[in-house]
Amino acid sequence: MTLATPNILTAPERTLRLLSCNILAGASVQRYSDYVTRSVNAVLPGRAKLANLDSLAELLHEFDVVGLQEADAGSLRSGFLNQTRYIAEASGMPYWSHQPNRPMARVAHSANGLLSRIEPSEVIDYPLPGRIKGRGALFVRFGEGTEALVIVIAHLSLGAAARMGQLAFIGELLAPFPHAVLMGDLNTEPSSSEMRQLFSRTALQPPPVATPTFPSWKPRRALDHILTSADIKLDRMWTLPRAFSDHLPLAAEIRLPRSLVQASGAAITDEAAPRT
């Protein structure tokens, strides 16, 4: 696919819309009791899961870059369907990648996923540290050198000690790149000690307002995040009202400075995604 070269003179800044979504392998949870009553269905494929993925795909025309967590990489519970690829094709996203993390005897195989209307220059899978293996970070770079835009998609552990080490690792990944975004299900509030450590060691900024995303039916906790470095202006952040799992999807509109649009090259254009 050939992408247009950005017109720097007429477009001094570039607006991108990002979405982070923990999709729970397509399962729908509407109350805590569903974790128990639907436990059998959680490991079996079904039309309801595909319908849920289709509903999400219908909304993605509004976004430029989407990060998925808990997408199934192709196991029994998804009917051996790579859900990242399925959503990419259903939504017309031309670029996609996935990072399988934790296979469980072919019954379940969770993955982080990337969907993009912008062609990445590089995508790297990084396993994250932790006593229990199986967490990962998907490193995505647009452009070249230290002036590139870097987006990391991650799904962190439930334990605070493990998250501390994982965020320290991500901080080291982002250290050479001043223009960065971290997005995903980080399983912790922005005020936690591990998040404060991340903000102190990187150019990432705390969100101006905590946005609750969990549980989806009555959001109380801000566990999902889209964090940006200081030179990337965050115009707005919001949740999608439709719940596709036990987390609400988190959306953000960011504005890239002129210098970053130019440095990132032809990948980032004003025509990347239609607006409605």
Side-chain angles (χ1 to χ4, degrees), residues 19 53-64 66 68 83-96 114-117 272-274:
L19 184 72
L53 300 183
D54 289 338
S55 295
L56 174 60
E58 289 176 1
L59 300 180
L60 297 189
H61 67 278
E62 298 182 9
F63 297 95
D64 301 299
V66 177
L68 302 177
Q83 292 180 332
T84 301
R85 178 174 182 174
Y86 180 86
I87 296 171
E89 293 177 348
S91 62
M93 287 281 196
Y95 305 105
W96 68 274
L114 164 74
L115 313 174
S116 181
R117 298 191 185 280

Side-chain angles (χ1 to χ4, degrees), residues 32-73:
Y32 283 115
S33 61
D34 286 350
Y35 289 115
V36 177
T37 58
R38 300 188 183 186
S39 58
V40 174
N41 290 334
V43 296
L44 295 176
R47 292 182 180 179
K49 290 183 178 179
L50 278 182
N52 219 15
L53 300 183
D54 289 338
S55 295
L56 174 60
E58 289 176 1
L59 300 180
L60 297 189
H61 67 278
E62 298 182 9
F63 297 95
D64 301 299
V65 180
V66 177
L68 302 177
Q69 304 90 49
E70 291 201 55
D72 197 87

